Amino acid sequence: MIPATVKIPAFIATNPLFLEACEFSHFHHDAVKQVREGTGEPYIVHPIEVATIVHAMGHECEYPPEWIDVAVVAALLHDTIEDTNCTYNLIESKFGSVVRDTVFWLTDVVGKPKGNRRVRKELEKVRLMAAPGRVKFVKCCDIIANASTVLDDKPASAMLFLTEKMALLETFVHYNRMHKGVDNMGKLDKVMLAKCRSVLVELLDKISKP
């Protein structure tokens, strides 16, 4: 059961699918005793933050309800494979293959054996460049959520985090330019791109100022 201290937004609390995904995610993160770095809050707070951004931006970008539903559920589950003992088969059995595939793309599969941090981040950029637009959309929402807390939670590594995410965002921009004028499922909505970029630029400027 999600602790009473965790605020569940109305759009999740009143939607059976979203609430099930939220409880599913909390169960798996809590089972491995994962909490948020810096605050010690239940980890589910982060997926809820990402899902909230996805829900708001999905409506702002005027995506259809079924598109938003998959994106919100995937946002709630996006760290379950990477950080817990949850499996893709279990996600598919509960939420379907489209959600499973979206979570797959959002899971960091480039581990330390593949090289140092710089090499791993480059490989992950190449991987995500080929991802569907909905995956990139959720990823940007994850970046925004993490960026909003990085200065408080991880001040020593904030600059590295922000520059890495800006580089990833440029990969998405490059993909869009490569397919300009073409209806392509891998393109990321321009409104989402602009929102994510503005958040990163603002924080980078804040760090750079003496």
PDB file of all heavy atoms in Angstrom, residues 76-113:
ATOM      1  N   LEU A  76       4.992   5.677 -14.869  1.00  0.00           N
ATOM      2  CA  LEU A  76       4.892   5.132 -13.519  1.00  0.00           C
ATOM      3  C   LEU A  76       5.764   3.889 -13.336  1.00  0.00           C
ATOM      4  O   LEU A  76       6.247   3.613 -12.236  1.00  0.00           O
ATOM      5  CB  LEU A  76       3.433   4.799 -13.196  1.00  0.00           C
ATOM      6  CG  LEU A  76       2.522   6.015 -12.995  1.00  0.00           C
ATOM      7  CD1 LEU A  76       1.050   5.602 -13.033  1.00  0.00           C
ATOM      8  CD2 LEU A  76       2.844   6.727 -11.680  1.00  0.00           C
ATOM      9  N   LEU A  77       5.986   3.170 -14.433  1.00  0.00           N
ATOM     10  CA  LEU A  77       6.747   1.913 -14.363  1.00  0.00           C
ATOM     11  C   LEU A  77       8.188   2.045 -14.859  1.00  0.00           C
ATOM     12  O   LEU A  77       8.925   1.059 -14.867  1.00  0.00           O
ATOM     13  CB  LEU A  77       6.047   0.841 -15.210  1.00  0.00           C
ATOM     14  CG  LEU A  77       4.568   0.546 -14.927  1.00  0.00           C
ATOM     15  CD1 LEU A  77       4.065  -0.524 -15.894  1.00  0.00           C
ATOM     16  CD2 LEU A  77       4.359   0.107 -13.498  1.00  0.00           C
ATOM     17  N   HIS A  78       8.609   3.236 -15.256  1.00  0.00           N
ATOM     18  CA  HIS A  78       9.832   3.351 -16.060  1.00  0.00           C
ATOM     19  C   HIS A  78      11.110   2.876 -15.384  1.00  0.00           C
ATOM     20  O   HIS A  78      12.085   2.541 -16.059  1.00  0.00           O
ATOM     21  CB  HIS A  78      10.012   4.792 -16.572  1.00  0.00           C
ATOM     22  CG  HIS A  78      10.514   5.771 -15.551  1.00  0.00           C
ATOM     23  ND1 HIS A  78       9.690   6.398 -14.649  1.00  0.00           N
ATOM     24  CD2 HIS A  78      11.764   6.231 -15.294  1.00  0.00           C
ATOM     25  CE1 HIS A  78      10.400   7.219 -13.897  1.00  0.00           C
ATOM     26  NE2 HIS A  78      11.673   7.130 -14.259  1.00  0.00           N
ATOM     27  N   ASP A  79      11.140   2.826 -14.065  1.00  0.00           N
ATOM     28  CA  ASP A  79      12.349   2.366 -13.364  1.00  0.00           C
ATOM     29  C   ASP A  79      12.207   0.970 -12.765  1.00  0.00           C
ATOM     30  O   ASP A  79      13.124   0.492 -12.081  1.00  0.00           O
ATOM     31  CB  ASP A  79      12.714   3.347 -12.238  1.00  0.00           C
ATOM     32  CG  ASP A  79      13.442   4.585 -12.752  1.00  0.00           C
ATOM     33  OD1 ASP A  79      14.113   4.482 -13.801  1.00  0.00           O
ATOM     34  OD2 ASP A  79      13.336   5.638 -12.110  1.00  0.00           O
ATOM     35  N   THR A  80      11.087   0.313 -12.985  1.00  0.00           N
ATOM     36  CA  THR A  80      10.859  -0.971 -12.316  1.00  0.00           C
ATOM     37  C   THR A  80      11.803  -2.078 -12.785  1.00  0.00           C
ATOM     38  O   THR A  80      12.257  -2.890 -11.978  1.00  0.00           O
ATOM     39  CB  THR A  80       9.401  -1.446 -12.500  1.00  0.00           C
ATOM     40  OG1 THR A  80       9.071  -1.465 -13.895  1.00  0.00           O
ATOM     41  CG2 THR A  80       8.433  -0.545 -11.753  1.00  0.00           C
ATOM     42  N   ILE A  81      12.101  -2.120 -14.070  1.00  0.00           N
ATOM     43  CA  ILE A  81      13.011  -3.163 -14.576  1.00  0.00           C
ATOM     44  C   ILE A  81      14.436  -2.866 -14.141  1.00  0.00           C
ATOM     45  O   ILE A  81      15.175  -3.744 -13.688  1.00  0.00           O
ATOM     46  CB  ILE A  81      12.930  -3.265 -16.111  1.00  0.00           C
ATOM     47  CG1 ILE A  81      11.525  -3.669 -16.561  1.00  0.00           C
ATOM     48  CG2 ILE A  81      13.978  -4.241 -16.629  1.00  0.00           C
ATOM     49  CD1 ILE A  81      11.105  -5.052 -16.120  1.00  0.00           C
ATOM     50  N   GLU A  82      14.826  -1.618 -14.262  1.00  0.00           N
ATOM     51  CA  GLU A  82      16.208  -1.216 -13.971  1.00  0.00           C
ATOM     52  C   GLU A  82      16.558  -1.327 -12.492  1.00  0.00           C
ATOM     53  O   GLU A  82      17.689  -1.697 -12.148  1.00  0.00           O
ATOM     54  CB  GLU A  82      16.392   0.233 -14.437  1.00  0.00           C
ATOM     55  CG  GLU A  82      17.808   0.741 -14.439  1.00  0.00           C
ATOM     56  CD  GLU A  82      17.912   2.108 -15.094  1.00  0.00           C
ATOM     57  OE1 GLU A  82      17.159   2.366 -16.051  1.00  0.00           O
ATOM     58  OE2 GLU A  82      18.737   2.906 -14.633  1.00  0.00           O
ATOM     59  N   ASP A  83      15.589  -1.049 -11.607  1.00  0.00           N
ATOM     60  CA  ASP A  83      15.909  -0.919 -10.188  1.00  0.00           C
ATOM     61  C   ASP A  83      15.310  -1.994  -9.278  1.00  0.00           C
ATOM     62  O   ASP A  83      15.629  -2.034  -8.090  1.00  0.00           O
ATOM     63  CB  ASP A  83      15.440   0.445  -9.669  1.00  0.00           C
ATOM     64  CG  ASP A  83      16.192   1.598 -10.312  1.00  0.00           C
ATOM     65  OD1 ASP A  83      17.306   1.375 -10.819  1.00  0.00           O
ATOM     66  OD2 ASP A  83      15.663   2.724 -10.312  1.00  0.00           O
ATOM     67  N   THR A  84      14.412  -2.834  -9.808  1.00  0.00           N
ATOM     68  CA  THR A  84      13.743  -3.818  -8.951  1.00  0.00           C
ATOM     69  C   THR A  84      13.813  -5.207  -9.584  1.00  0.00           C
ATOM     70  O   THR A  84      14.456  -5.404 -10.616  1.00  0.00           O
ATOM     71  CB  THR A  84      12.263  -3.441  -8.721  1.00  0.00           C
ATOM     72  OG1 THR A  84      11.462  -3.832  -9.837  1.00  0.00           O
ATOM     73  CG2 THR A  84      12.089  -1.953  -8.479  1.00  0.00           C
ATOM     74  N   ASN A  85      13.105  -6.141  -8.984  1.00  0.00           N
ATOM     75  CA  ASN A  85      13.070  -7.512  -9.503  1.00  0.00           C
ATOM     76  C   ASN A  85      11.894  -7.756 -10.444  1.00  0.00           C
ATOM     77  O   ASN A  85      11.608  -8.903 -10.793  1.00  0.00           O
ATOM     78  CB  ASN A  85      13.007  -8.498  -8.332  1.00  0.00           C
ATOM     79  CG  ASN A  85      14.248  -8.430  -7.457  1.00  0.00           C
ATOM     80  OD1 ASN A  85      15.366  -8.309  -7.969  1.00  0.00           O
ATOM     81  ND2 ASN A  85      14.065  -8.481  -6.144  1.00  0.00           N
ATOM     82  N   CYS A  86      11.219  -6.694 -10.841  1.00  0.00           N
ATOM     83  CA  CYS A  86      10.109  -6.817 -11.782  1.00  0.00           C
ATOM     84  C   CYS A  86      10.620  -7.331 -13.128  1.00  0.00           C
ATOM     85  O   CYS A  86      11.785  -7.138 -13.483  1.00  0.00           O
ATOM     86  CB  CYS A  86       9.438  -5.454 -11.960  1.00  0.00           C
ATOM     87  SG  CYS A  86       7.951  -5.473 -12.972  1.00  0.00           S
ATOM     88  N   THR A  87       9.740  -7.977 -13.893  1.00  0.00           N
ATOM     89  CA  THR A  87      10.124  -8.517 -15.206  1.00  0.00           C
ATOM     90  C   THR A  87       9.232  -7.948 -16.303  1.00  0.00           C
ATOM     91  O   THR A  87       8.116  -7.477 -16.046  1.00  0.00           O
ATOM     92  CB  THR A  87       9.996 -10.052 -15.222  1.00  0.00           C
ATOM     93  OG1 THR A  87       8.597 -10.401 -15.091  1.00  0.00           O
ATOM     94  CG2 THR A  87      10.793 -10.683 -14.092  1.00  0.00           C
ATOM     95  N   TYR A  88       9.739  -8.031 -17.532  1.00  0.00           N
ATOM     96  CA  TYR A  88       8.945  -7.575 -18.680  1.00  0.00           C
ATOM     97  C   TYR A  88       7.690  -8.431 -18.832  1.00  0.00           C
ATOM     98  O   TYR A  88       6.624  -7.920 -19.207  1.00  0.00           O
ATOM     99  CB  TYR A  88       9.773  -7.637 -19.960  1.00  0.00           C
ATOM    100  CG  TYR A  88      10.857  -6.595 -20.038  1.00  0.00           C
ATOM    101  CD1 TYR A  88      12.206  -6.962 -20.063  1.00  0.00           C
ATOM    102  CD2 TYR A  88      10.543  -5.244 -20.094  1.00  0.00           C
ATOM    103  CE1 TYR A  88      13.203  -6.007 -20.138  1.00  0.00           C
ATOM    104  CE2 TYR A  88      11.541  -4.282 -20.165  1.00  0.00           C
ATOM    105  CZ  TYR A  88      12.864  -4.668 -20.189  1.00  0.00           C
ATOM    106  OH  TYR A  88      13.860  -3.715 -20.258  1.00  0.00           O
ATOM    107  N   ASN A  89       7.802  -9.719 -18.575  1.00  0.00           N
ATOM    108  CA  ASN A  89       6.636 -10.601 -18.693  1.00  0.00           C
ATOM    109  C   ASN A  89       5.534 -10.192 -17.727  1.00  0.00           C
ATOM    110  O   ASN A  89       4.344 -10.225 -18.064  1.00  0.00           O
ATOM    111  CB  ASN A  89       7.040 -12.054 -18.436  1.00  0.00           C
ATOM    112  CG  ASN A  89       7.805 -12.663 -19.592  1.00  0.00           C
ATOM    113  OD1 ASN A  89       7.743 -12.153 -20.710  1.00  0.00           O
ATOM    114  ND2 ASN A  89       8.531 -13.734 -19.345  1.00  0.00           N
ATOM    115  N   LEU A  90       5.925  -9.795 -16.525  1.00  0.00           N
ATOM    116  CA  LEU A  90       4.939  -9.377 -15.536  1.00  0.00           C
ATOM    117  C   LEU A  90       4.274  -8.068 -15.962  1.00  0.00           C
ATOM    118  O   LEU A  90       3.046  -7.914 -15.851  1.00  0.00           O
ATOM    119  CB  LEU A  90       5.601  -9.211 -14.170  1.00  0.00           C
ATOM    120  CG  LEU A  90       4.678  -8.911 -12.989  1.00  0.00           C
ATOM    121  CD1 LEU A  90       3.563  -9.953 -12.890  1.00  0.00           C
ATOM    122  CD2 LEU A  90       5.478  -8.858 -11.696  1.00  0.00           C
ATOM    123  N   ILE A  91       5.059  -7.138 -16.478  1.00  0.00           N
ATOM    124  CA  ILE A  91       4.495  -5.880 -16.964  1.00  0.00           C
ATOM    125  C   ILE A  91       3.527  -6.129 -18.106  1.00  0.00           C
ATOM    126  O   ILE A  91       2.422  -5.566 -18.149  1.00  0.00           O
ATOM    127  CB  ILE A  91       5.619  -4.915 -17.411  1.00  0.00           C
ATOM    128  CG1 ILE A  91       6.370  -4.391 -16.182  1.00  0.00           C
ATOM    129  CG2 ILE A  91       5.051  -3.751 -18.225  1.00  0.00           C
ATOM    130  CD1 ILE A  91       7.558  -3.520 -16.505  1.00  0.00           C
ATOM    131  N   GLU A  92       3.914  -7.006 -19.032  1.00  0.00           N
ATOM    132  CA  GLU A  92       3.027  -7.310 -20.161  1.00  0.00           C
ATOM    133  C   GLU A  92       1.731  -7.960 -19.694  1.00  0.00           C
ATOM    134  O   GLU A  92       0.645  -7.639 -20.196  1.00  0.00           O
ATOM    135  CB  GLU A  92       3.728  -8.225 -21.162  1.00  0.00           C
ATOM    136  CG  GLU A  92       2.858  -8.540 -22.373  1.00  0.00           C
ATOM    137  CD  GLU A  92       3.570  -9.374 -23.418  1.00  0.00           C
ATOM    138  OE1 GLU A  92       4.719  -9.798 -23.170  1.00  0.00           O
ATOM    139  OE2 GLU A  92       2.972  -9.599 -24.497  1.00  0.00           O
ATOM    140  N   SER A  93       1.822  -8.860 -18.728  1.00  0.00           N
ATOM    141  CA  SER A  93       0.625  -9.555 -18.257  1.00  0.00           C
ATOM    142  C   SER A  93      -0.353  -8.606 -17.576  1.00  0.00           C
ATOM    143  O   SER A  93      -1.571  -8.821 -17.607  1.00  0.00           O
ATOM    144  CB  SER A  93       1.010 -10.676 -17.291  1.00  0.00           C
ATOM    145  OG  SER A  93       1.505 -10.162 -16.066  1.00  0.00           O
ATOM    146  N   LYS A  94       0.171  -7.537 -16.981  1.00  0.00           N
ATOM    147  CA  LYS A  94      -0.672  -6.586 -16.262  1.00  0.00           C
ATOM    148  C   LYS A  94      -1.139  -5.430 -17.144  1.00  0.00           C
ATOM    149  O   LYS A  94      -2.281  -4.967 -17.026  1.00  0.00           O
ATOM    150  CB  LYS A  94       0.099  -6.001 -15.074  1.00  0.00           C
ATOM    151  CG  LYS A  94       0.399  -6.988 -13.954  1.00  0.00           C
ATOM    152  CD  LYS A  94      -0.833  -7.206 -13.094  1.00  0.00           C
ATOM    153  CE  LYS A  94      -0.480  -8.046 -11.884  1.00  0.00           C
ATOM    154  NZ  LYS A  94      -1.669  -8.268 -11.014  1.00  0.00           N
ATOM    155  N   PHE A  95      -0.249  -4.959 -18.039  1.00  0.00           N
ATOM    156  CA  PHE A  95      -0.516  -3.706 -18.740  1.00  0.00           C
ATOM    157  C   PHE A  95      -0.392  -3.776 -20.259  1.00  0.00           C
ATOM    158  O   PHE A  95      -0.617  -2.777 -20.939  1.00  0.00           O
ATOM    159  CB  PHE A  95       0.407  -2.606 -18.198  1.00  0.00           C
ATOM    160  CG  PHE A  95       0.303  -2.433 -16.707  1.00  0.00           C
ATOM    161  CD1 PHE A  95       1.285  -2.943 -15.865  1.00  0.00           C
ATOM    162  CD2 PHE A  95      -0.783  -1.794 -16.138  1.00  0.00           C
ATOM    163  CE1 PHE A  95       1.189  -2.803 -14.484  1.00  0.00           C
ATOM    164  CE2 PHE A  95      -0.896  -1.650 -14.763  1.00  0.00           C
ATOM    165  CZ  PHE A  95       0.090  -2.154 -13.936  1.00  0.00           C
ATOM    166  N   GLY A  96      -0.042  -4.929 -20.793  1.00  0.00           N
ATOM    167  CA  GLY A  96      -0.011  -5.094 -22.237  1.00  0.00           C
ATOM    168  C   GLY A  96       1.358  -4.899 -22.861  1.00  0.00           C
ATOM    169  O   GLY A  96       2.295  -4.381 -22.243  1.00  0.00           O
ATOM    170  N   SER A  97       1.466  -5.307 -24.121  1.00  0.00           N
ATOM    171  CA  SER A  97       2.755  -5.305 -24.814  1.00  0.00           C
ATOM    172  C   SER A  97       3.250  -3.913 -25.173  1.00  0.00           C
ATOM    173  O   SER A  97       4.458  -3.675 -25.232  1.00  0.00           O
ATOM    174  CB  SER A  97       2.669  -6.169 -26.077  1.00  0.00           C
ATOM    175  OG  SER A  97       1.697  -5.665 -26.965  1.00  0.00           O
ATOM    176  N   VAL A  98       2.335  -2.982 -25.424  1.00  0.00           N
ATOM    177  CA  VAL A  98       2.769  -1.624 -25.798  1.00  0.00           C
ATOM    178  C   VAL A  98       3.444  -0.941 -24.611  1.00  0.00           C
ATOM    179  O   VAL A  98       4.489  -0.304 -24.761  1.00  0.00           O
ATOM    180  CB  VAL A  98       1.580  -0.783 -26.308  1.00  0.00           C
ATOM    181  CG1 VAL A  98       2.044   0.628 -26.656  1.00  0.00           C
ATOM    182  CG2 VAL A  98       0.947  -1.427 -27.534  1.00  0.00           C
ATOM    183  N   VAL A  99       2.860  -1.096 -23.430  1.00  0.00           N
ATOM    184  CA  VAL A  99       3.484  -0.550 -22.224  1.00  0.00           C
ATOM    185  C   VAL A  99       4.818  -1.249 -21.969  1.00  0.00           C
ATOM    186  O   VAL A  99       5.824  -0.608 -21.662  1.00  0.00           O
ATOM    187  CB  VAL A  99       2.559  -0.709 -21.001  1.00  0.00           C
ATOM    188  CG1 VAL A  99       3.315  -0.386 -19.710  1.00  0.00           C
ATOM    189  CG2 VAL A  99       1.347   0.199 -21.134  1.00  0.00           C
ATOM    190  N   ARG A 100       4.829  -2.564 -22.117  1.00  0.00           N
ATOM    191  CA  ARG A 100       6.081  -3.318 -21.923  1.00  0.00           C
ATOM    192  C   ARG A 100       7.179  -2.788 -22.831  1.00  0.00           C
ATOM    193  O   ARG A 100       8.321  -2.567 -22.397  1.00  0.00           O
ATOM    194  CB  ARG A 100       5.848  -4.799 -22.225  1.00  0.00           C
ATOM    195  CG  ARG A 100       7.108  -5.670 -22.138  1.00  0.00           C
ATOM    196  CD  ARG A 100       6.986  -6.889 -23.033  1.00  0.00           C
ATOM    197  NE  ARG A 100       6.867  -6.516 -24.436  1.00  0.00           N
ATOM    198  CZ  ARG A 100       6.370  -7.295 -25.394  1.00  0.00           C
ATOM    199  NH1 ARG A 100       5.913  -8.497 -25.085  1.00  0.00           N
ATOM    200  NH2 ARG A 100       6.310  -6.878 -26.650  1.00  0.00           N
ATOM    201  N   ASP A 101       6.868  -2.600 -24.099  1.00  0.00           N
ATOM    202  CA  ASP A 101       7.870  -2.129 -25.055  1.00  0.00           C
ATOM    203  C   ASP A 101       8.338  -0.711 -24.717  1.00  0.00           C
ATOM    204  O   ASP A 101       9.526  -0.386 -24.874  1.00  0.00           O
ATOM    205  CB  ASP A 101       7.306  -2.157 -26.476  1.00  0.00           C
ATOM    206  CG  ASP A 101       7.102  -3.579 -26.991  1.00  0.00           C
ATOM    207  OD1 ASP A 101       7.612  -4.529 -26.363  1.00  0.00           O
ATOM    208  OD2 ASP A 101       6.400  -3.732 -28.017  1.00  0.00           O
ATOM    209  N   THR A 102       7.421   0.118 -24.262  1.00  0.00           N
ATOM    210  CA  THR A 102       7.790   1.487 -23.886  1.00  0.00           C
ATOM    211  C   THR A 102       8.730   1.477 -22.695  1.00  0.00           C
ATOM    212  O   THR A 102       9.734   2.201 -22.666  1.00  0.00           O
ATOM    213  CB  THR A 102       6.531   2.316 -23.570  1.00  0.00           C
ATOM    214  OG1 THR A 102       5.624   2.253 -24.671  1.00  0.00           O
ATOM    215  CG2 THR A 102       6.888   3.777 -23.319  1.00  0.00           C
ATOM    216  N   VAL A 103       8.438   0.643 -21.708  1.00  0.00           N
ATOM    217  CA  VAL A 103       9.310   0.522 -20.543  1.00  0.00           C
ATOM    218  C   VAL A 103      10.674  -0.038 -20.957  1.00  0.00           C
ATOM    219  O   VAL A 103      11.717   0.385 -20.439  1.00  0.00           O
ATOM    220  CB  VAL A 103       8.668  -0.369 -19.459  1.00  0.00           C
ATOM    221  CG1 VAL A 103       9.653  -0.636 -18.316  1.00  0.00           C
ATOM    222  CG2 VAL A 103       7.400   0.288 -18.914  1.00  0.00           C
ATOM    223  N   PHE A 104      10.682  -0.960 -21.911  1.00  0.00           N
ATOM    224  CA  PHE A 104      11.947  -1.510 -22.402  1.00  0.00           C
ATOM    225  C   PHE A 104      12.855  -0.403 -22.915  1.00  0.00           C
ATOM    226  O   PHE A 104      14.043  -0.328 -22.569  1.00  0.00           O
ATOM    227  CB  PHE A 104      11.696  -2.524 -23.520  1.00  0.00           C
ATOM    228  CG  PHE A 104      12.935  -2.845 -24.328  1.00  0.00           C
ATOM    229  CD1 PHE A 104      13.911  -3.669 -23.808  1.00  0.00           C
ATOM    230  CD2 PHE A 104      13.123  -2.284 -25.588  1.00  0.00           C
ATOM    231  CE1 PHE A 104      15.077  -3.941 -24.540  1.00  0.00           C
ATOM    232  CE2 PHE A 104      14.272  -2.552 -26.316  1.00  0.00           C
ATOM    233  CZ  PHE A 104      15.258  -3.382 -25.795  1.00  0.00           C
ATOM    234  N   TRP A 105      12.307   0.477 -23.740  1.00  0.00           N
ATOM    235  CA  TRP A 105      13.107   1.557 -24.303  1.00  0.00           C
ATOM    236  C   TRP A 105      13.589   2.523 -23.217  1.00  0.00           C
ATOM    237  O   TRP A 105      14.661   3.125 -23.336  1.00  0.00           O
ATOM    238  CB  TRP A 105      12.301   2.328 -25.347  1.00  0.00           C
ATOM    239  CG  TRP A 105      12.218   1.668 -26.681  1.00  0.00           C
ATOM    240  CD1 TRP A 105      11.146   1.018 -27.221  1.00  0.00           C
ATOM    241  CD2 TRP A 105      13.242   1.617 -27.676  1.00  0.00           C
ATOM    242  NE1 TRP A 105      11.444   0.554 -28.480  1.00  0.00           N
ATOM    243  CE2 TRP A 105      12.726   0.913 -28.786  1.00  0.00           C
ATOM    244  CE3 TRP A 105      14.555   2.098 -27.744  1.00  0.00           C
ATOM    245  CZ2 TRP A 105      13.466   0.683 -29.942  1.00  0.00           C
ATOM    246  CZ3 TRP A 105      15.299   1.869 -28.895  1.00  0.00           C
ATOM    247  CH2 TRP A 105      14.749   1.160 -29.978  1.00  0.00           C
ATOM    248  N   LEU A 106      12.796   2.682 -22.155  1.00  0.00           N
ATOM    249  CA  LEU A 106      13.148   3.616 -21.082  1.00  0.00           C
ATOM    250  C   LEU A 106      14.131   3.034 -20.077  1.00  0.00           C
ATOM    251  O   LEU A 106      14.643   3.753 -19.219  1.00  0.00           O
ATOM    252  CB  LEU A 106      11.870   4.060 -20.342  1.00  0.00           C
ATOM    253  CG  LEU A 106      10.915   4.937 -21.153  1.00  0.00           C
ATOM    254  CD1 LEU A 106       9.556   5.011 -20.468  1.00  0.00           C
ATOM    255  CD2 LEU A 106      11.506   6.332 -21.349  1.00  0.00           C
ATOM    256  N   THR A 107      14.393   1.746 -20.179  1.00  0.00           N
ATOM    257  CA  THR A 107      15.298   1.079 -19.249  1.00  0.00           C
ATOM    258  C   THR A 107      16.744   1.190 -19.730  1.00  0.00           C
ATOM    259  O   THR A 107      17.048   0.906 -20.886  1.00  0.00           O
ATOM    260  CB  THR A 107      14.913  -0.410 -19.109  1.00  0.00           C
ATOM    261  OG1 THR A 107      13.569  -0.503 -18.613  1.00  0.00           O
ATOM    262  CG2 THR A 107      15.855  -1.124 -18.158  1.00  0.00           C
ATOM    263  N   ASP A 108      17.617   1.613 -18.842  1.00  0.00           N
ATOM    264  CA  ASP A 108      19.040   1.738 -19.175  1.00  0.00           C
ATOM    265  C   ASP A 108      19.653   0.341 -19.262  1.00  0.00           C
ATOM    266  O   ASP A 108      19.807  -0.342 -18.247  1.00  0.00           O
ATOM    267  CB  ASP A 108      19.748   2.563 -18.102  1.00  0.00           C
ATOM    268  CG  ASP A 108      21.192   2.870 -18.459  1.00  0.00           C
ATOM    269  OD1 ASP A 108      21.659   2.382 -19.511  1.00  0.00           O
ATOM    270  OD2 ASP A 108      21.860   3.583 -17.691  1.00  0.00           O
ATOM    271  N   VAL A 109      19.989  -0.073 -20.468  1.00  0.00           N
ATOM    272  CA  VAL A 109      20.540  -1.414 -20.665  1.00  0.00           C
ATOM    273  C   VAL A 109      22.044  -1.391 -20.926  1.00  0.00           C
ATOM    274  O   VAL A 109      22.665  -2.432 -21.109  1.00  0.00           O
ATOM    275  CB  VAL A 109      19.832  -2.138 -21.844  1.00  0.00           C
ATOM    276  CG1 VAL A 109      18.358  -2.312 -21.547  1.00  0.00           C
ATOM    277  CG2 VAL A 109      20.031  -1.393 -23.156  1.00  0.00           C
ATOM    278  N   VAL A 110      22.619  -0.194 -20.961  1.00  0.00           N
ATOM    279  CA  VAL A 110      24.058  -0.078 -21.217  1.00  0.00           C
ATOM    280  C   VAL A 110      24.778  -0.063 -19.877  1.00  0.00           C
ATOM    281  O   VAL A 110      24.923   0.980 -19.240  1.00  0.00           O
ATOM    282  CB  VAL A 110      24.386   1.194 -22.028  1.00  0.00           C
ATOM    283  CG1 VAL A 110      25.879   1.224 -22.360  1.00  0.00           C
ATOM    284  CG2 VAL A 110      23.563   1.237 -23.308  1.00  0.00           C
ATOM    285  N   GLY A 111      25.211  -1.219 -19.406  1.00  0.00           N
ATOM    286  CA  GLY A 111      25.841  -1.350 -18.097  1.00  0.00           C
ATOM    287  C   GLY A 111      27.326  -1.044 -18.106  1.00  0.00           C
ATOM    288  O   GLY A 111      27.933  -0.800 -19.151  1.00  0.00           O
ATOM    289  N   LYS A 112      27.930  -1.069 -16.924  1.00  0.00           N
ATOM    290  CA  LYS A 112      29.348  -0.729 -16.764  1.00  0.00           C
ATOM    291  C   LYS A 112      30.292  -1.598 -17.593  1.00  0.00           C
ATOM    292  O   LYS A 112      31.334  -1.106 -18.038  1.00  0.00           O
ATOM    293  CB  LYS A 112      29.726  -0.795 -15.284  1.00  0.00           C
ATOM    294  CG  LYS A 112      29.109   0.336 -14.472  1.00  0.00           C
ATOM    295  CD  LYS A 112      29.584   0.309 -13.022  1.00  0.00           C
ATOM    296  CE  LYS A 112      28.983   1.477 -12.252  1.00  0.00           C
ATOM    297  NZ  LYS A 112      29.419   1.478 -10.833  1.00  0.00           N
ATOM    298  N   PRO A 113      29.973  -2.885 -17.834  1.00  0.00           N
ATOM    299  CA  PRO A 113      30.894  -3.691 -18.656  1.00  0.00           C
ATOM    300  C   PRO A 113      31.076  -3.141 -20.078  1.00  0.00           C
ATOM    301  O   PRO A 113      32.016  -3.506 -20.765  1.00  0.00           O
ATOM    302  CB  PRO A 113      30.212  -5.064 -18.690  1.00  0.00           C
ATOM    303  CG  PRO A 113      29.425  -5.117 -17.423  1.00  0.00           C
ATOM    304  CD  PRO A 113      28.910  -3.723 -17.244  1.00  0.00           C
TER     305      PRO A 113
END
